[in-house]
């Protein structure tokens, strides 16, 4: 999976992020495992996971996503 640099998204609206992310990744491999797991270290809108999964689904049969969060207790 290759990320295409499209600038900072931190100050964009959720709608603008989703539009930008729809073309942020490309899959450059022809032989991928049947099932892939995508891990995102920051979960805001879920757009990054969605965009990565869409790009990977062009070559893989199934993609699952996992977003990590942390909070000091």
């Amino acid at each position: 999976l290759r990320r295409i640099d499209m600038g900072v998204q931190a100050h964009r609206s959720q709608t603008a992020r989703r539009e930008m992310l729809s073309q942020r990744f490309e899959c450059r491999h022809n032989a991928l495992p049947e099932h892939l797991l995508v891990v995102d270290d920051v979960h805001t809108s879920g757009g990054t996971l969605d965009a990565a999964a869409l790009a990977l689904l062009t070559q893989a049969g199934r993609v699952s996503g996992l977003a990590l969060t942390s909070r000091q207790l």
Side-chain angles (χ1 to χ4, degrees):
L1 189 63
R2 179 176 171 265
R3 187 181 76 172
I4 301 166
D5 187 15
M6 301 184 94
V8 178
Q9 54 178 328
H11 301 290
R12 297 177 193 248
S13 69
Q14 186 173 356
T15 302
R17 286 180 188 192
R18 286 205 182 269
E19 289 173 7
M20 182 182 77
L21 286 172
S22 66
Q23 298 177 0
R24 185 148 191 184
F25 297 98
E26 68 178 351
C27 184
R28 301 179 83 187
H29 298 281
N30 292 331
L32 293 176
E34 174 72 21
H35 186 195
L36 295 170
L37 174 65
V38 177
V39 179
D40 191 353
D41 63 337
V42 177
H43 175 65
T44 305
S45 67
T48 301
L49 282 175
D50 288 347
L54 286 173
L56 289 168
L57 283 169
T58 63
Q59 302 295 327
R62 187 171 151 206
V63 177
S64 297
L66 172 68
L68 304 174
T69 62
S70 176
R71 185 174 87 178
Q72 179 122 9
L73 301 174

